[in-house]
Amino acid sequence: MTNVFVLSPQEGRHLSDALHQAGYEFRNLQHALFQARGEGVVVSLYKSGKLVVQGKGSDAWHTQYMGSKEVAPSKKAAPAKSSGVFPSADDSIGSDEAGKGDTFGPLVVAAVSIPKEKAELLQSSKVADSKTIDDQRIRVLGPWIRENFDFEIRCLMPKQYNQEWQSAGSNVNTLLTQLHSDCLGELVARSGFQDIVVDRFSPSCPVSKRLLGVHPSLRVVEVPRAEAHLAVAAASVLAREQFLIGMEELSSAWAMTIPRGSGSPVPPALRKFLQMHGAGEFGQVAKLHFKNVQTFLAQN
């Protein structure tokens, strides 16, 4: 399998740092900034910013290292237009997640339902993909959405996440499928709404398959960049807000700043945590199956 991404120079540097920390084997490649091998994939970052990931582990690699960043659309076909894919925001439900690419902190999935009479209200709030909104605005929008709209949130703090990941067959996508489906199913039962929009995290569209197996009358759209839909944008904000809350709780509980992401700030934090609390406590704050955590623990 081959996935292609487009990275900014800063994203490329962060990825290089993360792969070095994860113990990847680096090689020179003509016209490329680097090529790295490990975890069942070959990762090549070209000077143009194009990142090519090849190998059987591409989907899992995407989840761990790219987080919510989407695969670049193929030149053979233009990406789908929102107006031709999404249902109306009226009487719809959307879901999104946060934290899946972060070494530390929780995995959060949120879903929000939008009754027709409140769609205009939500639109007026200028809610959007949480990646385009600063944290201060997230902290204002999140409580407002929870006060005015029905929602479901599943937040797995690291200790529970590590347990649930194993129960899901050591597969992040299986776990995400369960969490999205649980949130959406609860809102379907309460609202009766039939239009569902999901931010896609796997090309196999597992949430659609699971939901339609239980509720065959639903109309489910599972696509990349689904935050363009109002309900998914609202879910994106709630998931991000809960992730920020979880990170603050961890930082307070363990008396140190817990960094986001999986890039260069993470290794110093791993070392500091080891010095302060010992290796036996890593499962309380970090996703233990991440390669950078496994490599660090093996070396220390």
Side-chain angles (χ1 to χ4, degrees):
M1 176 178 290
T2 300
N3 286 333
V4 178
F5 305 87
V6 177
L7 303 189
S8 68
Q10 183 180 21
E11 288 174 325
R13 289 191 294 270
H14 287 168
L15 177 61
S16 177
D17 290 344
L19 297 183
H20 271 107
Q21 290 296 325
Y24 276 57
E25 177 187 353
F26 277 70
R27 300 180 179 180
N28 294 324
L29 179 67
Q30 189 176 15
H31 306 305
L33 296 173
F34 68 79
Q35 182 178 82
R37 297 172 182 265
E39 299 181 285
V41 297
V42 177
V43 182
S44 305
L45 178 59
Y46 292 89
K47 295 177 181 178
S48 64
K50 183 170 72 172
L51 177 74
V52 180
V53 184
Q54 298 171 294
K56 294 181 179 179
S58 294
D59 280 347
W61 190 95
H62 180 179
T63 299
Q64 181 169 344
Y65 290 98
M66 290 290 99
S68 59
K69 192 174 187 67
E70 299 296 341
V71 175
S74 169
K75 294 182 179 179
K76 295 180 180 179
K81 300 294 184 181
S82 298
S83 60
V85 173
F86 294 140
S88 166
D90 297 349
D91 295 342
S92 67
I93 304 172
S95 66
D96 201 0
E97 72 279 331
K100 68 182 179 183
D102 293 77
T103 297
F104 293 104
L107 175 68
V108 184
V109 172
V112 177
S113 63
I114 306 178
K116 180 178 181 180
E117 62 272 17
K118 286 190 173 184
E120 188 174 345
L121 174 66
L122 185 59
Q123 186 73 56
S124 70
S125 75
K126 301 189 184 301
V127 68
D129 179 359
S130 63
K131 293 188 290 296
T132 68
I133 305 174
D134 63 41
D135 291 348
Q136 183 176 359
R137 179 64 175 161
I138 291 288
R139 296 180 189 281
V140 173
L141 276 175
W144 180 83
I145 292 170
R146 286 188 275 109
E147 181 179 349
N148 288 279
F149 296 87
D150 196 10
F151 67 93
E152 284 287 329
I153 294 177
R154 299 292 185 272
C155 177
L156 301 183
M157 293 299 280
K159 180 180 179 179
Q160 185 181 6
Y161 171 89
N162 291 316
Q163 296 169 346
E164 295 293 335
W165 177 78
Q166 288 187 325
S167 298
S170 302
N171 188 301
V172 174
N173 285 349
T174 299
L175 180 56
L176 281 170
T177 301
Q178 175 186 325
L179 297 174
H180 276 269
S181 300
D182 287 350
C183 288
L184 292 165
E186 291 287 341
L187 292 183
V188 167
R190 293 205 293 267
S191 68
F193 297 163
Q194 299 292 292
D195 288 327
I196 311 296
V197 184
V198 184
D199 188 44
R200 195 183 81 184
F201 53 85
S202 169
S204 64
C205 296
V207 179
S208 299
K209 294 175 183 176
R210 182 160 179 164
L211 285 176
L212 292 172
V214 179
H215 307 282
S217 64
L218 293 179
R219 296 179 291 273
V220 184
V221 175
E222 188 170 0
V223 293
R225 298 175 293 280
E227 296 92 348
H229 188 272
L230 200 58
V232 179
S236 173
V237 169
L238 287 194
R240 181 64 178 176
E241 182 206 17
Q242 188 61 53
F243 174 77
L244 294 174
I245 291 171
M247 293 295 277
E248 287 182 350
E249 291 176 353
L250 290 174
S251 294
S252 177
W254 297 96
M256 61 174 283
T257 300
I258 304 292
R260 304 170 199 170
S262 287
S264 55
V266 169
L270 291 172
R271 289 192 292 272
K272 183 174 181 179
F273 189 89
L274 178 66
Q275 294 168 356
M276 293 178 64
H277 304 293
E281 300 293 342
F282 268 105
Q284 304 284 343
V285 296
K287 300 176 178 73
L288 293 179
H289 68 90
F290 274 31
K291 185 65 175 179
N292 56 348
V293 177
Q294 293 181 356
T295 300
F296 178 82
L297 290 175
Q299 294 172 348
N300 294 273

